[in-house]
Amino acid sequence: MKNLSQPADIVNAVLDTDTYNEIDDQFALAYFMLSTEKIRPQAIYAAPFANQNAATPAEGMEKSYEEILRVLELCGHKGFPAYRGSKTYLPDEKTPVESDAARDLAKRALAHTPDDPLYVLTIGCITNIASALLMEPAIRDRIVVVWLGGQAHSWANLKWAEFNMVQDIAAARVVFNSGCALVQLPCMGVVSHLMTTEPELREHCKGKSSLGDYLYGITCHAAVHDGGNDAWSRVIWDISVVAWLLGDKYVKDVTVPAPLPTYDNGYLQDAHRHAMKVAYFVNRDGIFLDLFKKVGKV
């Protein structure tokens, strides 16, 4: 229960990201690297994904790895430890997928303790984390997993498939069943509030830094590609996991029994299961103000 609380001190953390999936991961990676008042970044892991930007999970992971390197350089952290993750999703709930990311996570986590855990921020399908837990079950008590995935438990249509969860429900089930300290940032119904617009990005990112110009450019390009008009807005989902680490002035959560994701995209609820935290509120304005200030100082 102590490790489910937002930490008061600076903590060691890693970020697991499908960075080329869309454009919010780039914001999250920058926010992660620039929030050194609360975070000591340790490593970045590339997660697999498949959609219109990548035909296979392996291609998605490789493109994400390349994008991680681009964003790290824009943040002034060229050469920072970054690792390729899984090329496939979990074949089942017992078999890990070997990767540099999963091996590095297992090794780093073993060097921590339950009193000083490693925070694992994950903003894609949760394959790499599930694999590390299966490879080295002892890390369960040495990590705090903070995941953007799934819908709010109160969301009316729970079976509306959410991208990060539906890609690899087996991996989500492994993590939700593991007993590790788990914090969930649900998408629809909670993090969906984290919207920004072209005028706001133009005011706070464009011309402020090379990183700001990049974030502005990729967001506008994505909006136009998706058919955006003069009034478009864009959800920057992934910054929520970093915001959770920065304290309850940005994200508020509640303790609940951990549900079990089901293969039909729902949740199996059981009041007797172990506790986890789930976010129910994000301070949209406070989070974006903090992010924009940091992007402008690179």
Side-chain angles (χ1 to χ4, degrees):
M1 290 304 299
K2 178 181 72 70
N3 288 347
L4 285 174
S5 299
Q6 287 154 299
D9 300 321
I10 300 176
V11 297
N12 292 340
V14 297
L15 179 67
D16 181 73
T17 163
D18 56 349
T19 328
Y20 202 77
N21 164 39
E22 52 170 326
I23 52 86
D24 54 333
D25 292 78
Q26 290 89 331
F27 283 85
L29 175 52
Y31 201 18
F32 176 76
M33 296 302 299
L34 299 175
S35 295
T36 52
E37 78 279 13
K38 201 63 176 291
I39 299 171
R40 285 188 295 263
Q42 303 295 298
I44 311 295
Y45 305 135
F49 75 91
N51 62 9
Q52 70 277 6
N53 292 329
T56 65
E59 181 185 357
M61 184 279 295
E62 187 62 32
K63 285 184 173 180
S64 291
Y65 177 75
E66 293 168 359
E67 185 73 353
I68 287 167
L69 300 183
R70 270 190 292 274
V71 176
L72 284 173
E73 186 168 0
L74 288 167
C75 291
H77 289 280
K78 184 177 181 179
F80 186 81
Y83 299 89
R84 290 177 170 87
S86 171
K87 295 181 179 180
T88 65
Y89 304 130
L90 287 189
D92 54 60
E93 295 177 34
K94 296 182 179 179
T95 308
V97 180
E98 289 279 342
S99 69
D100 291 344
R103 285 189 291 270
D104 184 80
L105 174 55
K107 180 179 178 181
R108 286 182 191 275
L110 284 173
H112 288 70
T113 67
D115 290 327
D116 181 24
L118 176 67
Y119 286 77
V120 181
L121 309 187
T122 177
I123 52 179
C125 79
I126 206 163
T127 303
N128 291 333
I129 290 77
S131 292
L133 281 162
L134 291 171
M135 291 162 58
E136 195 61 71
I139 70 173
R140 182 192 74 169
D141 299 320
R142 303 171 189 226
I143 61 175
V144 179
V145 177
V146 186
W147 184 44
L148 171 83
Q151 313 293 26
H153 298 180
S154 59
W155 189 247
N157 186 3
L158 280 175
K159 294 187 179 181
W160 181 6
E162 186 279 318
F163 185 70
N164 288 349
M165 183 175 283
V166 76
Q167 287 183 94
D168 193 352
I169 292 178
R173 287 170 62 89
V174 167
V175 175
F176 275 71
N177 254 340
S178 69
C180 73
L182 174 63
V183 180
Q184 183 184 14
L185 281 295
C187 291
M188 298 306 297
V190 182
V191 178
S192 51
H193 192 52
L194 286 177
M195 286 186 158
T196 190
T197 63
E198 190 276 334
E200 185 174 56
L201 291 172
R202 184 179 353 115
E203 173 69 22
H204 295 287
C205 289
K206 187 178 182 181
K208 303 298 183 183
S209 64
S210 295
L211 173 63
D213 286 341
Y214 184 71
L215 297 175
Y216 173 80
I218 60 174
T219 308
C220 292
H221 179 270
V224 171
H225 182 269
D226 292 344
N229 55 36
D230 290 342
W232 62 262
S233 61
R234 190 83 181 191
V235 183
I236 310 298
W237 314 89
D238 293 343
I239 57 176
S240 59
V241 296
V242 179
W244 182 87
L245 264 187
L246 301 182
D248 65 0
K249 66 179 179 179
Y250 294 135
V251 180
K252 296 190 184 300
D253 57 33
V254 65
T255 304
V256 299
L260 184 63
T262 60
Y263 284 98
D264 63 353
N265 301 318
Y267 291 112
L268 178 64
Q269 301 283 355
D270 183 347
H272 297 95
R273 282 171 56 81
H274 58 278
M276 64 172 283
K277 285 285 187 76
V278 59
Y280 65 87
F281 171 79
V282 292
N283 178 356
R284 183 262 172 217
D285 293 353
I287 292 169
F288 274 110
L289 178 61
D290 186 50
L291 170 65
F292 291 150
K293 284 181 177 179
K294 290 169 179 174
V295 168
K297 292 180 180 179
V298 176

